[in-house]
Amino acid sequence: MATVVRTAFGGRHGDNVAELVEALRRDDPDVLSLVSEQPDELVGHIMFSRALLDAPRELVPVRSLSPLPVAPHWQRRGVGTALIREGLRQLDEQGVPLVFLEGDPAYYSRTGFTPAAEHGFRRPSLRIPEAGFQVVKLSSYEPWMTGTFVYSNTFWDLDLVGLRH
Ligand SMILES: CC(C)(COP(=O)(O)OP(=O)(O)OC[C@H]1O[C@@H](n2cnc3c(N)ncnc32)[C@H](O)[C@@H]1OP(=O)(O)O)[C@@H](O)C(=O)NCCC(=O)NCCS
């Protein structure tokens, strides 16, 4: 698992994301972790971990999509898209109302993600570029669910929220 993370992200960021995978496994008993495998090879991995939406009425359990590494020689063959679609299907079945992420809108808009700010959601750090802060609403979503997206402590502990320069 760590290998696919390190080769997909590369360098020091790859090491940090590999650490995130281990920490989410340890810290989040509800984490949804899916892999795409070939007979002798792990080609892709996705995690959806616990997070919160700080809505006016109450805290809403939601999910964070991160990370999503696909092995470089398996990229552009639909692996990432299939992992996202299957994850969203399972979370919808579980009654999760919203899934948030930070990423490239050109890629994630293909699987239904839209800029979260357009729906009135607030990002958890001003260091997240507004266009990169995205959300998908699942069937349990209700209109009162507005407010600020809050990452689990794991992301803050590893300083993996937003971009640093
Ligand atoms: C981004 C990533 C997960 C995509 O996975 P993938 O399996 O290659 O993606 P898919 O095959 O499902 O989709 C590929 C399509 O998305 C497009 N695409 C891939 N990355 C893109 C990006 N950053 N921006 C825009 N489009 C992108 C490709 O052009 C391709 O479109 P095409 O088939 O029309 O050419 C993979 O490239 C990867 O692991 N990258 C390094 C790690 C990373 O950045 N992860 C995401 C952040 S958590």
Side-chain angles (χ1 to χ4, degrees):
M1 202 85 81
T3 309
V4 70
V5 170
R6 288 200 171 90
T7 55
F9 287 95
R12 180 192 279 197
H13 188 55
D15 294 339
N16 292 341
V17 179
E19 203 179 339
L20 174 68
V21 170
E22 289 313 309
L24 290 175
R25 280 226 186 81
R26 187 185 61 226
D27 298 345
D28 184 348
D30 297 331
V31 71
L32 175 61
S33 174
L34 304 174
V35 293
S36 172
E37 288 175 299
Q38 287 295 311
D40 294 320
E41 198 186 358
L42 186 76
V43 301
H45 181 209
I46 194 167
M47 288 179 118
F48 297 88
S49 59
R50 288 194 302 207
L52 292 169
L53 180 72
D54 183 13
R57 189 198 292 184
E58 63 196 40
L59 290 170
V60 182
V62 298
R63 293 290 176 128
S64 156
L65 187 174
S66 176
L68 170 58
V70 173
H73 55 289
W74 280 95
Q75 290 177 6
R76 301 194 150 210
R77 300 203 217 174
V79 173
T81 302
L83 286 168
I84 298 169
R85 292 223 164 101
E86 176 59 16
L88 294 179
R89 190 192 67 73
Q90 292 191 26
L91 293 173
D92 198 25
E93 243 175 47
Q94 291 176 24
V96 171
L98 294 160
V99 178
F100 290 86
L101 63 79
E102 289 175 41
D104 188 336
Y107 180 66
Y108 288 101
S109 60
R110 302 161 62 108
T111 42
F113 283 87
T114 52
E118 286 178 10
H119 304 278
F121 298 112
R122 295 176 66 121
R123 58 204 198 276
S125 165
L126 296 178
R127 290 177 294 96
I128 302 172
E130 194 147 272
F133 175 50
Q134 293 159 79
V135 69
V136 73
K137 296 176 178 174
L138 300 179
S139 43
S140 306
Y141 165 78
E142 294 177 25
W144 61 267
M145 296 173 181
T146 59
T148 305
F149 171 62
V150 183
Y151 272 109
S152 68
N153 284 344
T154 310
F155 284 84
W156 295 107
D157 289 345
L158 296 173
D159 195 12
L160 282 173
V161 175
L163 302 172
R164 293 208 182 271
H165 298 288

